[in-house]
Structure formats: structure tokens, C-alpha cells
Amino acid sequence: MTVITAEGTGEILDELRRYLDEDPPAISLPPRAYTSPELWELERERIFGRSWMLVAHAGQLAETGDYVALSIAGEAVVVTRGADGTLSAMSPICRHRLMPLVELGAGRTDSFTCPYHRWNYGLDGRLRGAPHMGGNKDFNVKNCRLPGFAVEEWNGLVYVNLDAAAEPIGAHLDLAAPDFVNYRLGDLVQVITVAEEWQANWKLALENGSENYHVIGLHRNTLEPFLPGGGDPHIKQYSPWVLHARTPFAAPIEPEALDLSELEKAHGMALLSFPTGGFLAMGDQVVWLSFIPLSIDRVQVVGGVLMPPELVASVDPEALARAQQTITAMVNNEDKVGLEAVQRGVTSRFAERGHLSPKEPGVIVFYQNLARALTREGDAWPGKL
Ligand code: FES
Ligand SMILES: [Fe+2]
């Protein structure tokens, strides 16, 4: 196992620790935090090697053989639905001579056959057959399988952790569950799936997703009229993993299918799960997104729009999907264009840290989680409740 030291990241880590002070500074990260290769290596080890990542909705993995393949900070991962209904997450790298078994994306298959020499693996990662290997006395098909990762489903959301021995995340998410009972998360169906790639450091995407202030700029013609960026957010942190944020609508909305409280009718209700995932419930719909890094300056944006089944059944499903696709693509593109520009900004030789608005408390909480995760060596983070 490679041991990564914090060498070269000392100054950034010192600055990060200051966010854990009783009175944290309301300033953005040092610009080098978005471009330092040393910090990126540390993030790969201390965050992405041991954190729960929101990767899919169960609706994408409904049938036997459905799979989703992605990269978690450069580490290939495939999540499958087996014939017995269980989810498996594993490393889709062939055990023969390390050919990736599957491209990034999604699909349905009954097994994975390596294109190189046709070794064949089951949906649970077990090797089922390997041609012309009978003469190698050290090799036994039965002892060969793809390395497994931890996988957990919570209210239809599928989380993966590269640390197979990680403490479960469900208990952490359950702390916020009472805030979302009326949204019936477990019943919702995914009407569209989001899969994009943005040219930006993952932390820029997460900062952006942790505040609604940018709606006055990037989304001024789309979201601003109903979820104004000047609204005062109310946040509640349940655990280092889980933050609940409530943002006021311009005017209360009347859901068609869900039975919401007056507070819920008047607010967008978000749950953010560090490091990269979250969802925003707005009346009858829940939009989930996860910003999973591919590399230091590229991020996979995966997500979906969820709605109550009775609402979906009452309309033309294709028209509904088209309408959702149009608005989601428009809003996501506004963020993409904005963040790709910020990515150019952070590389300026004249870039400096900036002051944050009181409308951005979620950004400071994100920095605090980042500080906790990056400055903790060795042991699992954040561990048991
Ligand atoms: S590398 Fe996969 S079968 Fe040879
Ligand atoms: Fe946005």
C-alpha cells in the first residue's frame, strides 16, 4: 500500500484547520486547494478511499443485470443488481492482466466478459470461466473474484464506499429522515437520469451545491423567480456526513401528490451528504445530484429527478420526461458554464481567497468537513455514530 504523506499540503491543511475554530473565518479556500496535485493525492486517500459516495438511484438498478459504472477519483467502480436482488459494488478490473471490464456508463448484462482474453465474471464479481487456463496448477477459477466494495441503499439512494470495511452510512442518514418523511423518498420513481462531465475541480461543484446565493447570478432567469438567491437559508448539521438545509421559495407551492406541511410548502428542503452527494426536495419533486471527481479538474455529475409514482402514472410519461429533461439540462448547464469559468479563475496568478456572504453558511460547513476528513490520518472517518 502506498503511504501518502501530507508533504507539500502543510500550508493548505493549516488553513483548513482554521475552519474548525469556534469562530471560523468566512473566507473561501486558498486557490491552490483546487490545483495542488499533492492535495488531490491526499483527497484520494483520505476522502475518496474511505467515504460513502452517492452514485445512483435504485431505479437505475431495478432489474437483474442492471449496472452502473463510474470512476471515484480515478478508481473504477461497477454496481450491479444480482439475480437474488442484492446489490454488489466492485472493482471492474480483470484479475488476469488488468483490462477494465466495462466502460463508464450504465447498461444491462448477465455477466462481464473481459474483451482481452475472455475471462468471464458473474454479477457478484466471481470468476465463472477462464479459457485455456487448465494447465496452470496455481490457478483456480473458484478462488478468483473481483475486489468488492461496500454498498448500501437508503430510501432508494445507492451509496458506495471503496473501504469494504466502512461503518454503514444508513444510521447517519436516518438522523435527517424525520425531516423528509412527507416526501416519501423510498416510494419515489426516477423520471430522468443525469450523467454529465464538467471541467472543474470537484470542490467547486460542492461549494456551489452548498449555497443558493449563486441563483441570483447563474440562474437568474430560471430558478431565481421561485427559489430566490437572496433568501435566508437555515441549516442543521446532524453528523459530519449529513447536513439539512432549508431555503425559502418566493411563494409557497401547492403539491399535487404529496401531503406536505406549511413549512415544506414554503421551502426547498435539501440533504447534503459529504463528500459529494445530496438532494433537494421541492414540492412534488426531488432532484438528487452527486459530483464525483474523475481527476483533479474533471467531475462526473450524476443524478436524477424523482417523483411520486401516482403523479407519474397520471400523465404522459414521455412528455413528463421531456419537460424534466429540458429544465434540468438548462439549470445544470448554467452551473456547468459558471463552474468551468471559475476553474479558469482559480488558476490565475492573481487569485486570492474571497470573503463569503452570510447567505453561504453551507460552504463553511463543507470546508469544515473537508478539514476533518483531510486532517485525520489512518483511522476511518467519521466512524461509528
Ligand atoms: S486481461 Fe482480462 S482476460 Fe486477460
Ligand atoms: Fe446552481
Side-chain angles (χ1 to χ4, degrees):
M1 191 185 139
T2 1
V3 177
I4 311 255
T5 65
E7 206 179 322
T9 58
E11 236 170 82
I12 303 176
L13 295 185
D14 286 346
E15 290 302 324
L16 274 173
R17 279 190 194 93
R18 294 183 52 213
Y19 293 112
L20 298 174
D21 289 352
E22 210 167 301
D23 190 17
I27 48 173
S28 62
L29 293 179
R32 249 175 46 77
Y34 307 100
T35 58
S36 157
E38 292 84 8
L39 187 71
W40 166 241
E41 283 309 317
L42 203 65
E43 289 172 349
R44 291 186 73 202
E45 184 195 88
R46 293 191 185 166
I47 298 179
F48 299 107
R50 61 185 188 185
S51 295
W52 285 98
M53 313 287 297
L54 173 57
V55 297
H57 185 263
Q60 295 163 253
L61 296 157
E63 305 290 331
T64 299
D66 282 348
Y67 70 86
V68 173
L70 68 152
S71 158
I72 296 183
E75 193 61 74
V77 175
V78 67
V79 187
T80 60
R81 177 75 70 184
D84 61 355
T86 57
L87 287 176
S88 300
M90 56 217 157
S91 166
I93 303 296
C94 184
R95 296 294 98 191
H96 175 225
R97 282 187 16 232
L98 309 179
M99 171 74 115
L101 297 166
V102 64
E103 300 289 328
L104 298 190
R108 185 175 298 168
T109 185
D110 56 6
S111 66
F112 296 99
T113 300
C114 180
Y116 206 173
H117 314 92
R118 306 203 56 81
W119 286 26
N120 176 261
Y121 300 85
L123 295 169
D124 59 357
R126 263 182 243 274
L127 185 65
R128 303 200 308 188
H132 308 297
M133 287 297 292
N136 183 334
K137 62 177 173 31
D138 295 328
F139 173 75
N140 183 343
V141 170
K142 290 198 180 64
N143 298 338
C144 185
R145 65 177 308 156
L146 302 174
F149 302 135
V151 60
E152 203 173 320
E153 186 180 331
W154 182 83
N155 276 316
L157 299 172
V158 178
Y159 287 81
V160 167
N161 195 319
L162 297 186
D163 176 2
E167 291 291 336
I169 191 179
H172 290 263
L173 294 168
D174 281 346
L175 296 173
D179 286 321
F180 293 95
V181 170
N182 290 341
Y183 293 97
R184 294 170 33 211
L185 295 172
D187 296 343
L188 304 183
V189 294
Q190 183 148 306
V191 294
I192 62 158
T193 299
V194 172
E196 301 187 5
E197 196 182 310
W198 299 354
Q199 296 289 324
N201 180 267
W202 70 279
K203 296 188 292 300
L204 295 177
L206 263 295
E207 289 169 11
N208 185 65
S210 301
E211 51 93 351
N212 198 54
Y213 180 37
H214 74 277
V215 166
I216 66 173
L218 295 187
H219 309 298
R220 67 182 181 282
N221 298 320
T222 47
L223 298 180
E224 176 66 14
F226 89 101
L227 192 65
D232 280 319
H234 177 274
I235 63 173
K236 193 159 54 170
Q237 193 165 13
Y238 287 100
S239 90
W241 287 110
V242 181
L243 174 79
H244 172 43
R246 193 171 79 206
T247 309
F249 293 134
I253 55 175
E254 202 50 57
E256 283 174 51
L258 296 178
D259 190 12
L260 299 184
S261 69
E262 293 311 309
L263 188 77
E264 290 159 348
K265 288 177 188 173
H267 292 85
M269 302 289 230
L271 183 151
L272 302 175
S273 57
F274 184 82
T276 71
F279 62 81
L280 176 62
M282 295 170 289
D284 279 317
Q285 66 171 31
V286 171
V287 180
W288 73 270
L289 286 170
S290 192
F291 304 96
I292 305 173
L294 280 164
S295 64
I296 187 170
D297 59 359
R298 283 192 306 154
V299 66
Q300 291 157 112
V301 182
V302 298
V305 176
L306 311 171
M307 291 184 141
E310 64 272 30
L311 189 64
V312 177
S314 70
V315 295
D316 171 6
E318 280 175 26
L320 176 68
R322 264 199 309 277
Q324 285 294 337
Q325 195 77 52
T326 305
I327 177 71
T328 306
M330 202 187 308
V331 172
N332 281 345
N333 195 54
E334 290 168 346
D335 284 316
K336 173 185 157 85
V337 169
L339 294 178
E340 291 185 347
V342 175
Q343 177 70 28
R344 296 193 292 278
V346 298
T347 62
S348 162
R349 283 182 294 133
F350 301 98
E352 285 177 10
R353 307 177 77 176
H355 295 283
L356 299 176
S357 160
K359 307 282 181 190
E360 304 173 276
V363 174
I364 295 179
V365 174
F366 173 66
Y367 293 163
Q368 289 170 334
N369 286 338
L370 201 60
R372 284 191 194 98
L374 284 173
T375 56
R376 282 276 289 275
E377 292 171 37
D379 56 346
W381 183 90
K384 279 197 190 10
L385 265 182

